[in-house]
Amino acid sequence: MRIGVSLQDPSGPSPMTALREELQRAADQGFASAWMSNIFGVDALTALAVAGSQVPRIEVGTAVVPTYPRHPAVLAQQARTVAAAVDGRLVLGIGLSHKIVIEDMYGYDFSKPILHMKEYLAVLLPLLDGQPASFTGTTVRANIGLTTPVPAGSRS
């Protein structure tokens, strides 16, 4: 059995130092993974790239990155970059977020969340695997390939 731990949203004058120290403690205590949410604080993927690149031996993951308002190609590019920074130890957790956040705060349409996720994955998954994506849906469109490295043996 593998056990992971949730990381706190870092704050203060040196948030990346605090996150790195927390991640190091988790690794030293034998946790298999450490998970960071992506709400309204630091960007979880960027923070995990910084801290995770300095702390080996522990898998890092997002719990979760909202699909809105990031285009799936942008998320794939960022996730592949982070995976490269942490030598393939990234687990990408994604989700829809909540209607109040997406509609009231960001101003995006949240009327078809299941369709949005299905279409989002139609673009995201090939790009994470290093393949181009060509898709035209109701909520997502893309015709793109990425040159971002895919770490050996990983799927972001």
Side-chain angles (χ1 to χ4, degrees), residues 5-10 16 19 22 34-48 60-66 70 91-95 98:
V5 64
S6 291
L7 299 170
Q8 295 181 3
D9 190 13
M16 294 304 105
L19 181 63
E22 185 180 12
W35 298 82
M36 187 169 181
S37 62
N38 193 97
I39 303 174
F40 298 113
V42 299
D43 177 75
L45 283 166
T46 304
L48 289 174
V60 294
T62 57
V64 302
V65 173
R70 293 180 201 197
V91 178
L92 178 63
I94 64 170
H98 303 88

Side-chain angles (χ1 to χ4, degrees), residues 105-127:
M105 294 180 183
Y106 287 128
Y108 284 90
D109 179 26
F110 197 75
S111 63
K112 299 175 182 173
I114 296 171
L115 178 63
H116 168 78
M117 181 59 81
K118 180 180 175 185
E119 293 182 355
Y120 199 92
L121 291 172
V123 175
L124 180 67
L125 294 177
L127 292 172

Side-chain angles (χ1 to χ4, degrees), residues 45-109:
L45 283 166
T46 304
L48 289 174
V50 171
S53 68
Q54 299 173 37
V55 181
R57 304 182 336 265
I58 189 166
E59 190 173 65
V60 294
T62 57
V64 302
V65 173
T67 57
Y68 297 93
R70 293 180 201 197
H71 189 277
V74 174
L75 182 56
Q77 181 183 32
Q78 187 180 20
R80 284 171 49 177
T81 301
V82 174
V86 299
D87 300 320
R89 294 176 288 122
L90 175 68
V91 178
L92 178 63
I94 64 170
L96 292 165
S97 189
H98 303 88
K99 185 176 181 175
I100 191 169
V101 174
I102 302 310
E103 284 193 351
D104 296 346
M105 294 180 183
Y106 287 128
Y108 284 90
D109 179 26

